Each structure stands twice: as C-alpha cells, then as structure tokens.
Amino acid sequence: MRRRLLSVTLPLQTRRIISPPFLSSPSHHLLSCSKKHSASPHDDPYDPPFSPIAKAPNLKTKQSPKAPNPKPKQAPKALPSSMDKLSLPLRSDLPFDFRYSYSETDPSLRPIGYREPPRFSPFGPGRLDRKWDGLSAPATGEAAEDRVSEDRSSVLGDSLTQQEVDELVERYRHSDCSRQINLGKGGVTHNMLEDIHNHWKRAEAVRIKCLGVPTLDMDNACFHLEDKTGGKIIYRHINILLLYRGRNYDPKQRPIIPLMLWKPLAPIYPRLVPKVAEGLTFEQTKELRNRGLNTPALMKLTRNGVYVNVVERVREAFRTSDVVRLDCAHIYTSDCKKIGVKLRDLVPCIPILFKDGQIIIWRGRETQDSDLC
C-alpha cells in the first residue's frame, strides 16, 4: 500500500528522472536529430543520387516579369570583297612580271635548282591567267611604254606646290601616323602593292618605314615603289618615305592585284663565295681570310637595323686596307649573304668568307691597280 502511495505522490520531475534507460540512449538522440532535419511533407519524396537541388526563391529581391521569347540569331553577313565580284581566273593589266620581291631579286640571274616544283603557283590553282615558272608570273601581253607613261602622268596630274608638299609631309611624316607600312628584309613585295592601294582609299599619302637589308640601297627601293604603284615619293629622310598617290587617283579605277597565298621558297643559286678568289691562289685566299678574321670589325650590324651608311663606310675603309670585316653575329645567315651580294654590286668588292656571323670582303686586284694609277 505504501508503494502505491509513493508512486502516486511523486512529482513529475522525479518521473522523468527514473524514466527507463532506453529513452536516454544515443539512439534516441539520433532519432531526435533525424526528426529535426527530415524533409518537409511538401518536398518530393523521390530523391535520386546526383539530382539538382532546387534553390529557394529570394524573398528580398523582387521577381522580374517574364522575359519575352528571344529572337532567333541570324548568321553574320559576310563583308563584301572586291575579289568576290571578279570571276576566276583573275586578269591583271599591270605591265610587269609578278614576283614575290621586286627590289631584292635579280631577274637576270637564273637559279640552278628549285626547292619546290615550279608548277605550284603561289597565287593558287586557277586563280590567275599567268603561268608561274618558279620565279615569276610573266605578263601575257606586251604593254606599250608610251601608254603606260601617259596613264601614270594622267593619274599624278599637275605637280604639287611646295606648300602642298609641306602640308602632306607634316601630316604623314610623324611616327604616330596610322597610314604606315613597314618595309622589311623582303623589300618591295607583291602583296605590299595591295596594301598601299588600300591605304590610298582614305589617305593621299602613305608613310613607309624601311628596315633591314633594303636600306643598303634606298634608291632601288624608291624606284620600285614608284614603278610598281604609279605613285611619287615626295619625302625621303634616312629610312622614312612618303609615297603620294596623285591628284586624279580614283580608288574605283585601281588596278587588279591578285594576292599571293603563300611565300614561295627561294630557289637555289650558284655558290656566292668560291673556294679560291678570282686572280689569287689558294694560299693567298687563305691568308686574306685569316687576316680578315683577325682585324677589328669596321661596323656591328643589328637585326632589322638601318644600313644606310654602310656602303660609304666600306669605301672609306678600302682606302687604307684591302680587307674589311663586318660583325653580323645577330643577323640571320640568309641576311648576311644578301648584305654581301649588295656590297659586291654597290661598293664594288669581293666577298671571300661568311663564317660565324662575320663577313670578310676583299677590295679586289682591279681596285688596287686603279688606286696605284
């Protein structure tokens, strides 16, 4: 009877304390946690692995109205090109043979071999009515020189006054001019003619900056620029040129210039430096080469530099010495040989050695005899 009374009179707290032990076990704690993190009854009970998690809407930001359906994107229209309107094969009325470089090649010098088959034209198959022979694409018809000169004079019009020349020079001679073309070691190339005419559409003159091997003979570069484009050089300062298009130049009447799609490989020419110099024995040639390597260098040429004064410096050096060395350690081997060929024709002299970026040139026996006389 007492036990029943105690159980009845015990307060609620004591009942919780003496509750069965399984209610305070860890499994009970896990059940309580799982109830807290259980999914709401509104969620979808099917939850496969790697299913995307739906983001809750942000109540702070206002929901934007439903955007209209986007318009279908149209394909970009191709820019109109003058070449697309012309039918293939292209026919050009220019009176000269098409070459890769006009100022750095000698048409009279024939190669002894080719590095690629001559039948592969750099203009592309069937794109030009001229046949490629490995060096050039000769003109099909013979153009009268009188007619060509008349057409050029009609495009140039009256000669510019000094005031007009000064205005053009002041506008285009500065280094920040946007109408500029760089003339590099390739010289006056065929595709450069198209670039010049493209600049002439919106500008009266073009600024041409010459660098590298062509600067040895600036007269040759100026001649080919005027001869192949029909313009006129109105300004020349060291290696900077301004090429004027003419008073009556009409961009719609520009000549058709088909572009070269790739640079053709240079053909194989005869040996530039023979084993024995002309007029000397093998021992004398060897002695000149050794003496040239041991002499101090006259000049140190840099890559893509300006070589305007090299010819005059070599001529002055030949007054006191018969062998001159030029340091070209930072120049490509092909450019060294081009420099030697130009010096041979301009000084004149005889190149006797190209070794380790050094050019050894000899004054020649005929020059020595003329100096003694």
Side-chain angles (χ1 to χ4, degrees):
M1 190 69 181
R2 282 182 184 176
R3 292 179 181 176
R4 291 181 181 177
L5 291 174
L6 289 172
S7 62
V8 172
T9 58
L10 283 175
L12 185 60
Q13 293 180 353
T14 57
R15 289 182 183 180
R16 289 181 182 177
I17 293 173
I18 62 174
S19 60
F22 70 91
L23 294 177
S24 59
S25 62
S27 60
H28 174 68
H29 180 70
L30 293 174
L31 288 173
S32 61
C33 293
S34 63
K35 290 180 180 180
K36 293 180 182 179
H37 298 285
S38 62
S40 62
H42 301 286
D43 295 341
D44 189 4
Y46 178 69
D47 187 14
F50 309 109
S51 61
I53 300 174
K55 295 183 179 180
N58 191 359
L59 301 178
K60 295 182 180 180
T61 58
K62 296 182 179 179
Q63 295 183 357
S64 59
K66 189 176 181 181
N69 296 328
K71 296 182 179 179
K73 295 183 179 180
Q74 297 180 356
K77 297 182 179 179
L79 296 177
S81 176
S82 59
M83 290 297 179
D84 297 340
K85 301 178 183 179
L86 302 176
S87 59
L88 299 178
L90 299 176
R91 179 178 178 83
S92 180
D93 297 331
L94 294 174
F96 52 86
D97 301 344
F98 291 163
R99 293 175 167 271
Y100 172 74
S101 177
Y102 297 104
S103 61
E104 304 306 309
T105 55
D106 187 4
S108 61
L109 186 61
R110 302 304 301 179
I112 60 176
Y114 297 93
R115 291 184 172 89
E116 62 182 359
R119 66 179 182 275
F120 295 145
S121 173
F123 296 96
R127 297 186 69 254
L128 187 64
D129 62 340
R130 304 185 184 188
K131 186 177 180 181
W132 180 260
D133 60 0
L135 290 177
S136 63
T140 54
E142 295 182 359
E145 295 183 0
D146 297 338
R147 183 178 63 83
V148 173
S149 60
E150 289 178 1
D151 294 342
R152 289 182 176 178
S153 59
S154 62
V155 172
L156 289 176
D158 299 334
S159 58
L160 297 174
T161 62
Q162 188 61 35
Q163 182 179 0
E164 292 174 338
V165 171
D166 295 341
E167 292 178 358
L168 290 174
V169 169
E170 183 62 26
R171 190 188 308 172
Y172 296 105
R173 73 179 179 87
H174 300 286
S175 59
D176 58 349
C177 177
S178 60
R179 303 298 175 183
Q180 174 176 310
I181 295 177
N182 294 328
L183 190 148
K185 63 180 182 180
V188 182
T189 58
H190 179 78
N191 289 354
M192 186 184 295
L193 307 181
E194 178 72 11
D195 296 337
I196 291 174
H197 283 282
N198 289 337
H199 280 290
W200 278 350
K201 287 182 181 179
R202 300 175 179 83
E204 298 182 69
V206 180
R207 184 179 189 264
I208 300 177
K209 184 178 181 180
C210 305
L211 297 172
V213 181
T215 57
L216 282 169
D217 191 4
M218 289 296 296
D219 295 335
N220 183 40
C222 294
F223 167 76
H224 284 287
L225 283 172
E226 291 183 345
D227 182 63
K228 301 303 184 292
T229 61
K232 184 178 180 181
I233 292 178
I234 58 175
Y235 176 78
R236 173 178 171 181
H237 178 67
I238 307 177
N239 64 323
I240 303 299
L241 306 174
L242 290 185
L243 188 62
Y244 176 62
R245 67 181 184 180
R247 288 184 183 273
N248 304 324
Y249 180 81
D250 186 6
K252 297 181 180 180
Q253 302 296 329
R254 56 181 291 183
I256 299 175
I257 303 176
L259 297 178
M260 283 190 176
L261 303 184
W262 66 83
K263 177 182 177 180
L265 297 179
I268 303 172
Y269 289 98
R271 186 182 179 90
L272 178 61
V273 179
K275 294 183 179 179
V276 180
E278 185 179 359
L280 298 177
T281 63
F282 178 76
E283 296 297 333
Q284 292 175 340
T285 305
K286 184 177 180 181
E287 191 270 335
L288 282 176
R289 289 170 178 168
N290 293 334
R291 186 151 52 92
L293 289 173
N294 295 326
T295 56
L298 176 66
M299 297 180 67
K300 185 175 182 179
L301 305 182
T302 59
R303 187 182 305 172
N304 293 332
V306 180
Y307 314 141
V308 176
N309 60 342
V310 173
V311 176
E312 293 297 330
R313 292 282 302 273
V314 171
R315 288 175 181 172
E316 293 177 0
F318 276 153
R319 295 177 183 176
T320 57
S321 177
D322 59 342
V323 180
V324 172
R325 179 170 71 93
L326 297 177
D327 188 359
C328 304
H330 301 284
I331 302 178
Y332 295 115
T333 305
S334 59
D335 293 348
C336 290
K337 294 182 178 180
K338 292 178 181 179
I339 291 172
V341 171
K342 284 186 173 290
L343 292 176
R344 180 191 63 183
D345 300 334
L346 296 173
V347 174
C349 60
I350 301 174
I352 59 175
L353 183 63
F354 292 92
K355 183 179 180 181
D356 299 334
Q358 307 298 316
I359 302 177
I360 310 300
I361 51 180
W362 177 45
R363 181 170 55 181
R365 191 176 295 276
E366 296 180 358
T367 310
Q368 291 179 358
D369 296 340
S370 61
D371 291 342
L372 292 175
C373 296

Short mmCIF file of all heavy atoms in Angstrom, two decimals, residues 30-83:
data_model
loop_
_atom_site.label_atom_id
_atom_site.label_comp_id
_atom_site.label_asym_id
_atom_site.label_seq_id
_atom_site.Cartn_x
_atom_site.Cartn_y
_atom_site.Cartn_z
N LEU A 30 19.87 10.25 -31.81
CA LEU A 30 19.91 10.25 -33.29
C LEU A 30 18.53 10.35 -33.87
O LEU A 30 18.32 11.02 -34.90
CB LEU A 30 20.59 8.96 -33.78
CG LEU A 30 22.07 8.82 -33.46
CD1 LEU A 30 22.56 7.44 -33.88
CD2 LEU A 30 22.86 9.91 -34.17
N LEU A 31 17.56 9.75 -33.23
CA LEU A 31 16.20 9.85 -33.74
C LEU A 31 15.68 11.27 -33.66
O LEU A 31 15.03 11.78 -34.56
CB LEU A 31 15.29 8.92 -32.94
CG LEU A 31 15.45 7.41 -33.20
CD1 LEU A 31 14.61 6.61 -32.21
CD2 LEU A 31 15.05 7.10 -34.62
N SER A 32 16.05 11.95 -32.55
CA SER A 32 15.60 13.32 -32.41
C SER A 32 16.24 14.23 -33.45
O SER A 32 15.62 15.14 -33.98
CB SER A 32 15.89 13.83 -30.99
OG SER A 32 17.29 13.80 -30.76
N CYS A 33 17.56 13.98 -33.76
CA CYS A 33 18.24 14.80 -34.78
C CYS A 33 17.66 14.55 -36.15
O CYS A 33 17.52 15.47 -36.97
CB CYS A 33 19.74 14.49 -34.78
SG CYS A 33 20.56 15.02 -33.26
N SER A 34 17.36 13.29 -36.45
CA SER A 34 16.81 12.99 -37.77
C SER A 34 15.46 13.62 -37.96
O SER A 34 15.07 13.99 -39.06
CB SER A 34 16.73 11.47 -37.96
OG SER A 34 15.85 10.92 -37.00
N LYS A 35 14.70 13.75 -36.87
CA LYS A 35 13.40 14.41 -36.99
C LYS A 35 13.54 15.88 -37.28
O LYS A 35 12.76 16.47 -38.00
CB LYS A 35 12.62 14.23 -35.69
CG LYS A 35 12.14 12.80 -35.47
CD LYS A 35 11.36 12.68 -34.17
CE LYS A 35 10.87 11.24 -33.95
NZ LYS A 35 10.12 11.13 -32.68
N LYS A 36 14.58 16.49 -36.71
CA LYS A 36 14.78 17.92 -36.98
C LYS A 36 15.12 18.19 -38.43
O LYS A 36 14.69 19.16 -39.01
CB LYS A 36 15.89 18.47 -36.08
CG LYS A 36 15.52 18.49 -34.62
CD LYS A 36 16.67 19.05 -33.80
CE LYS A 36 16.34 19.04 -32.30
NZ LYS A 36 17.45 19.56 -31.49
N HIS A 37 15.99 17.32 -39.07
CA HIS A 37 16.48 17.53 -40.43
C HIS A 37 15.69 16.74 -41.46
O HIS A 37 16.14 16.59 -42.60
CB HIS A 37 17.96 17.11 -40.52
CG HIS A 37 18.83 17.93 -39.64
ND1 HIS A 37 19.19 19.22 -39.93
CD2 HIS A 37 19.40 17.64 -38.43
CE1 HIS A 37 19.96 19.70 -38.96
NE2 HIS A 37 20.11 18.75 -38.04
N SER A 38 14.60 16.20 -41.12
CA SER A 38 13.81 15.44 -42.08
C SER A 38 13.17 16.38 -43.07
O SER A 38 12.93 17.56 -42.79
CB SER A 38 12.75 14.62 -41.34
OG SER A 38 11.87 15.48 -40.64
N ALA A 39 12.91 15.86 -44.29
CA ALA A 39 12.32 16.69 -45.34
C ALA A 39 10.90 17.05 -44.99
O ALA A 39 10.20 16.32 -44.29
CB ALA A 39 12.37 15.93 -46.66
N SER A 40 10.48 18.17 -45.48
CA SER A 40 9.12 18.63 -45.25
C SER A 40 8.16 17.79 -46.05
O SER A 40 8.52 17.21 -47.07
CB SER A 40 9.00 20.11 -45.63
OG SER A 40 9.27 20.26 -47.01
N PRO A 41 6.91 17.73 -45.63
CA PRO A 41 5.95 16.90 -46.37
C PRO A 41 5.65 17.44 -47.75
O PRO A 41 5.16 16.70 -48.59
CB PRO A 41 4.72 16.93 -45.47
CG PRO A 41 4.87 18.15 -44.64
CD PRO A 41 6.33 18.31 -44.42
N HIS A 42 5.98 18.72 -48.03
CA HIS A 42 5.69 19.28 -49.34
C HIS A 42 6.75 18.88 -50.36
O HIS A 42 6.53 19.06 -51.56
CB HIS A 42 5.62 20.82 -49.24
CG HIS A 42 4.55 21.28 -48.28
ND1 HIS A 42 3.20 21.24 -48.58
CD2 HIS A 42 4.66 21.79 -47.01
CE1 HIS A 42 2.50 21.71 -47.56
NE2 HIS A 42 3.37 22.06 -46.59
N ASP A 43 7.95 18.43 -49.91
CA ASP A 43 9.01 18.06 -50.86
C ASP A 43 8.68 16.74 -51.52
O ASP A 43 7.92 15.92 -51.00
CB ASP A 43 10.36 17.97 -50.16
CG ASP A 43 10.79 19.33 -49.64
OD1 ASP A 43 10.22 20.33 -50.14
OD2 ASP A 43 11.65 19.39 -48.74
N ASP A 44 9.35 16.54 -52.68
CA ASP A 44 9.15 15.30 -53.42
C ASP A 44 9.89 14.18 -52.71
O ASP A 44 11.11 14.28 -52.47
CB ASP A 44 9.69 15.47 -54.84
CG ASP A 44 9.32 14.29 -55.72
OD1 ASP A 44 8.59 13.41 -55.25
OD2 ASP A 44 9.78 14.28 -56.90
N PRO A 45 9.24 13.10 -52.36
CA PRO A 45 9.96 12.03 -51.65
C PRO A 45 10.98 11.32 -52.54
O PRO A 45 11.90 10.69 -52.04
CB PRO A 45 8.83 11.08 -51.22
CG PRO A 45 7.75 11.33 -52.21
CD PRO A 45 7.81 12.79 -52.55
N TYR A 46 10.80 11.40 -53.86
CA TYR A 46 11.75 10.72 -54.76
C TYR A 46 12.98 11.60 -54.94
O TYR A 46 12.89 12.69 -55.51
CB TYR A 46 11.08 10.44 -56.10
CG TYR A 46 11.99 9.77 -57.10
CD1 TYR A 46 12.41 8.45 -56.92
CD2 TYR A 46 12.45 10.47 -58.20
CE1 TYR A 46 13.24 7.84 -57.82
CE2 TYR A 46 13.30 9.87 -59.10
CZ TYR A 46 13.69 8.54 -58.92
OH TYR A 46 14.53 7.95 -59.81
N ASP A 47 14.13 11.17 -54.43
CA ASP A 47 15.36 11.96 -54.49
C ASP A 47 16.50 11.06 -54.96
O ASP A 47 17.24 10.50 -54.15
CB ASP A 47 15.66 12.54 -53.11
CG ASP A 47 16.83 13.52 -53.18
OD1 ASP A 47 17.19 13.92 -54.29
OD2 ASP A 47 17.38 13.86 -52.11
N PRO A 48 16.66 10.89 -56.26
CA PRO A 48 17.74 10.01 -56.76
C PRO A 48 19.09 10.67 -56.55
O PRO A 48 19.19 11.88 -56.33
CB PRO A 48 17.41 9.86 -58.24
CG PRO A 48 16.69 11.11 -58.58
CD PRO A 48 15.89 11.47 -57.35
N PRO A 49 20.16 9.89 -56.61
CA PRO A 49 21.50 10.49 -56.44
C PRO A 49 21.83 11.45 -57.59
O PRO A 49 21.38 11.26 -58.73
CB PRO A 49 22.44 9.28 -56.43
CG PRO A 49 21.66 8.20 -57.12
CD PRO A 49 20.24 8.45 -56.79
N PHE A 50 22.63 12.48 -57.28
CA PHE A 50 23.08 13.49 -58.24
C PHE A 50 21.90 14.26 -58.84
O PHE A 50 21.94 14.69 -59.99
CB PHE A 50 23.91 12.87 -59.37
CG PHE A 50 25.02 12.02 -58.89
CD1 PHE A 50 24.97 10.64 -59.02
CD2 PHE A 50 26.13 12.58 -58.27
CE1 PHE A 50 26.01 9.85 -58.58
CE2 PHE A 50 27.17 11.78 -57.82
CZ PHE A 50 27.11 10.41 -57.96
N SER A 51 20.83 14.41 -58.10
CA SER A 51 19.71 15.19 -58.62
C SER A 51 19.95 16.65 -58.31
O SER A 51 20.53 17.00 -57.28
CB SER A 51 18.40 14.72 -57.96
OG SER A 51 18.47 14.91 -56.56
N PRO A 52 19.55 17.57 -59.19
CA PRO A 52 19.78 19.00 -58.92
C PRO A 52 18.98 19.49 -57.74
O PRO A 52 17.83 19.08 -57.53
CB PRO A 52 19.31 19.66 -60.22
CG PRO A 52 18.35 18.70 -60.82
CD PRO A 52 18.84 17.32 -60.44
N ILE A 53 19.59 20.35 -56.96
CA ILE A 53 18.96 20.90 -55.77
C ILE A 53 18.24 22.18 -56.16
O ILE A 53 18.84 23.10 -56.73
CB ILE A 53 20.00 21.18 -54.68
CG1 ILE A 53 20.70 19.87 -54.29
CG2 ILE A 53 19.34 21.82 -53.46
CD1 ILE A 53 21.85 20.06 -53.33
N ALA A 54 16.98 22.26 -55.87
CA ALA A 54 16.20 23.44 -56.20
C ALA A 54 16.52 24.55 -55.23
O ALA A 54 16.53 24.35 -54.01
CB ALA A 54 14.70 23.10 -56.15
N LYS A 55 16.84 25.72 -55.77
CA LYS A 55 17.16 26.87 -54.94
C LYS A 55 15.90 27.54 -54.45
O LYS A 55 14.93 27.69 -55.22
CB LYS A 55 18.01 27.86 -55.72
CG LYS A 55 19.38 27.32 -56.10
CD LYS A 55 20.18 28.38 -56.82
CE LYS A 55 21.57 27.87 -57.19
NZ LYS A 55 22.36 28.89 -57.88
N ALA A 56 15.93 27.94 -53.19
CA ALA A 56 14.77 28.63 -52.63
C ALA A 56 14.69 30.03 -53.19
O ALA A 56 15.70 30.71 -53.37
CB ALA A 56 14.88 28.67 -51.11
N PRO A 57 13.52 30.52 -53.48
CA PRO A 57 13.40 31.88 -54.03
C PRO A 57 13.81 32.92 -53.01
O PRO A 57 13.54 32.80 -51.81
CB PRO A 57 11.92 31.99 -54.37
CG PRO A 57 11.25 31.00 -53.48
CD PRO A 57 12.21 29.85 -53.31
N ASN A 58 14.49 33.94 -53.50
CA ASN A 58 14.94 35.03 -52.63
C ASN A 58 13.78 35.99 -52.45
O ASN A 58 13.33 36.63 -53.40
CB ASN A 58 16.13 35.72 -53.26
CG ASN A 58 16.80 36.68 -52.29
OD1 ASN A 58 16.35 36.83 -51.16
ND2 ASN A 58 17.87 37.30 -52.75
N LEU A 59 13.31 36.08 -51.23
CA LEU A 59 12.15 36.92 -50.95
C LEU A 59 12.48 38.39 -50.93
O LEU A 59 11.60 39.23 -51.07
CB LEU A 59 11.52 36.51 -49.60
CG LEU A 59 11.07 35.04 -49.54
CD1 LEU A 59 10.53 34.74 -48.15
CD2 LEU A 59 10.02 34.75 -50.60
N LYS A 60 13.76 38.72 -50.72
CA LYS A 60 14.14 40.14 -50.61
C LYS A 60 14.09 40.82 -51.97
O LYS A 60 13.73 41.97 -52.09
CB LYS A 60 15.53 40.26 -50.01
CG LYS A 60 15.59 39.78 -48.57
CD LYS A 60 16.99 39.96 -48.01
CE LYS A 60 17.05 39.47 -46.56
NZ LYS A 60 18.41 39.63 -45.99
N THR A 61 14.53 40.10 -53.01
CA THR A 61 14.56 40.71 -54.34
C THR A 61 13.23 40.52 -55.02
O THR A 61 12.57 39.47 -54.90
CB THR A 61 15.65 40.05 -55.19
OG1 THR A 61 15.39 38.65 -55.26
CG2 THR A 61 17.03 40.27 -54.57
N LYS A 62 12.83 41.48 -55.77
CA LYS A 62 11.58 41.41 -56.50
C LYS A 62 11.76 40.53 -57.72
O LYS A 62 12.77 40.61 -58.42
CB LYS A 62 11.15 42.82 -56.93
CG LYS A 62 10.85 43.72 -55.75
CD LYS A 62 10.38 45.06 -56.25
CE LYS A 62 10.05 45.98 -55.07
NZ LYS A 62 9.61 47.31 -55.56
N GLN A 63 10.79 39.69 -57.96
CA GLN A 63 10.86 38.84 -59.12
C GLN A 63 10.56 39.63 -60.38
O GLN A 63 9.57 40.36 -60.44
CB GLN A 63 9.85 37.69 -58.98
CG GLN A 63 10.16 36.74 -57.83
CD GLN A 63 9.19 35.59 -57.77
OE1 GLN A 63 8.24 35.54 -58.57
NE2 GLN A 63 9.40 34.68 -56.83
N SER A 64 11.47 39.52 -61.35
CA SER A 64 11.31 40.26 -62.60
C SER A 64 10.20 39.64 -63.41
O SER A 64 9.95 38.43 -63.33
CB SER A 64 12.61 40.23 -63.39
OG SER A 64 12.99 38.89 -63.67
N PRO A 65 9.52 40.43 -64.20
CA PRO A 65 8.46 39.87 -65.04
C PRO A 65 9.03 38.90 -66.06
O PRO A 65 10.22 38.92 -66.39
CB PRO A 65 7.86 41.11 -65.72
CG PRO A 65 8.93 42.12 -65.65
CD PRO A 65 9.66 41.86 -64.36
N LYS A 66 8.19 38.07 -66.57
CA LYS A 66 8.63 37.05 -67.51
C LYS A 66 9.15 37.69 -68.79
O LYS A 66 8.46 38.50 -69.41
CB LYS A 66 7.45 36.12 -67.81
CG LYS A 66 7.86 34.89 -68.61
CD LYS A 66 6.68 33.95 -68.78
CE LYS A 66 7.11 32.71 -69.56
NZ LYS A 66 5.95 31.79 -69.75
N ALA A 67 10.41 37.32 -69.13
CA ALA A 67 11.03 37.92 -70.31
C ALA A 67 10.39 37.36 -71.57
O ALA A 67 10.02 36.18 -71.62
CB ALA A 67 12.53 37.63 -70.32
N PRO A 68 10.29 38.20 -72.60
CA PRO A 68 9.71 37.69 -73.87
C PRO A 68 10.67 36.70 -74.53
O PRO A 68 11.85 36.64 -74.22
CB PRO A 68 9.55 38.96 -74.71
CG PRO A 68 10.55 39.91 -74.16
CD PRO A 68 10.62 39.60 -72.68
N ASN A 69 10.15 35.95 -75.42
CA ASN A 69 10.97 34.96 -76.13
C ASN A 69 12.04 35.66 -76.96
O ASN A 69 11.72 36.59 -77.72
CB ASN A 69 10.09 34.10 -77.03
CG ASN A 69 9.10 33.28 -76.23
OD1 ASN A 69 9.40 32.88 -75.10
ND2 ASN A 69 7.91 33.03 -76.78
N PRO A 70 13.32 35.24 -76.81
CA PRO A 70 14.37 35.92 -77.59
C PRO A 70 14.24 35.62 -79.08
O PRO A 70 13.81 34.53 -79.49
CB PRO A 70 15.67 35.30 -77.03
CG PRO A 70 15.25 33.97 -76.49
CD PRO A 70 13.84 34.15 -75.99
N LYS A 71 14.64 36.60 -79.88
CA LYS A 71 14.58 36.43 -81.33
C LYS A 71 15.68 35.48 -81.79
O LYS A 71 16.78 35.48 -81.23
CB LYS A 71 14.73 37.78 -82.02
CG LYS A 71 13.61 38.73 -81.71
CD LYS A 71 13.81 40.04 -82.46
CE LYS A 71 12.67 41.01 -82.17
NZ LYS A 71 12.87 42.30 -82.89
N PRO A 72 15.42 34.69 -82.77
CA PRO A 72 16.49 33.78 -83.26
C PRO A 72 17.64 34.58 -83.87
O PRO A 72 17.44 35.56 -84.60
CB PRO A 72 15.77 32.94 -84.32
CG PRO A 72 14.59 33.76 -84.73
CD PRO A 72 14.17 34.53 -83.51
N LYS A 73 18.87 34.15 -83.52
CA LYS A 73 20.05 34.85 -84.02
C LYS A 73 20.27 34.56 -85.49
O LYS A 73 20.18 33.41 -85.94
CB LYS A 73 21.28 34.40 -83.22
CG LYS A 73 21.23 34.80 -81.76
CD LYS A 73 22.51 34.39 -81.05
CE LYS A 73 22.48 34.79 -79.59
NZ LYS A 73 23.74 34.39 -78.89
N GLN A 74 20.54 35.63 -86.21
CA GLN A 74 20.80 35.49 -87.64
C GLN A 74 22.30 35.32 -87.88
O GLN A 74 23.12 35.84 -87.14
CB GLN A 74 20.30 36.71 -88.40
CG GLN A 74 18.79 36.90 -88.29
CD GLN A 74 18.33 38.13 -89.04
OE1 GLN A 74 19.14 38.88 -89.58
NE2 GLN A 74 17.03 38.33 -89.09
N ALA A 75 22.64 34.59 -88.90
CA ALA A 75 24.05 34.38 -89.24
C ALA A 75 24.67 35.68 -89.69
O ALA A 75 24.03 36.49 -90.39
CB ALA A 75 24.16 33.34 -90.36
N PRO A 76 25.92 36.00 -89.25
CA PRO A 76 26.55 37.26 -89.67
C PRO A 76 26.78 37.31 -91.17
O PRO A 76 27.18 36.32 -91.79
CB PRO A 76 27.90 37.25 -88.91
CG PRO A 76 28.15 35.80 -88.61
CD PRO A 76 26.81 35.18 -88.42
N LYS A 77 26.49 38.46 -91.70
CA LYS A 77 26.66 38.64 -93.14
C LYS A 77 28.14 38.82 -93.47
O LYS A 77 28.85 39.51 -92.77
CB LYS A 77 25.87 39.86 -93.61
CG LYS A 77 24.36 39.71 -93.41
CD LYS A 77 23.64 40.94 -93.93
CE LYS A 77 22.13 40.80 -93.75
NZ LYS A 77 21.42 42.00 -94.25
N ALA A 78 28.57 38.21 -94.54
CA ALA A 78 29.96 38.33 -94.98
C ALA A 78 30.20 39.71 -95.56
O ALA A 78 29.33 40.29 -96.25
CB ALA A 78 30.28 37.26 -96.03
N LEU A 79 31.36 40.27 -95.24
CA LEU A 79 31.70 41.60 -95.75
C LEU A 79 31.91 41.53 -97.24
O LEU A 79 32.52 40.58 -97.76
CB LEU A 79 32.97 42.10 -95.05
CG LEU A 79 32.83 42.34 -93.55
CD1 LEU A 79 34.18 42.76 -92.97
CD2 LEU A 79 31.78 43.39 -93.25
N PRO A 80 31.47 42.53 -97.98
CA PRO A 80 31.67 42.50 -99.43
C PRO A 80 33.15 42.66 -99.76
O PRO A 80 33.86 43.45 -99.17
CB PRO A 80 30.85 43.70 -99.92
CG PRO A 80 30.75 44.60 -98.73
CD PRO A 80 30.72 43.69 -97.53
N SER A 81 33.61 41.89 -100.67
CA SER A 81 35.01 41.92 -101.09
C SER A 81 35.06 42.17 -102.59
O SER A 81 34.22 41.68 -103.36
CB SER A 81 35.72 40.61 -100.74
OG SER A 81 37.03 40.62 -101.23
N SER A 82 36.08 42.92 -103.01
CA SER A 82 36.23 43.20 -104.44
C SER A 82 36.61 41.95 -105.20
O SER A 82 36.29 41.79 -106.38
CB SER A 82 37.29 44.30 -104.64
OG SER A 82 38.53 43.88 -104.09
N MET A 83 37.31 40.99 -104.52
CA MET A 83 37.73 39.77 -105.20
C MET A 83 36.55 38.83 -105.45
O MET A 83 36.58 38.02 -106.36
CB MET A 83 38.81 39.06 -104.38
CG MET A 83 40.14 39.80 -104.36
SD MET A 83 40.88 39.95 -106.00
CE MET A 83 42.36 40.89 -105.61
#
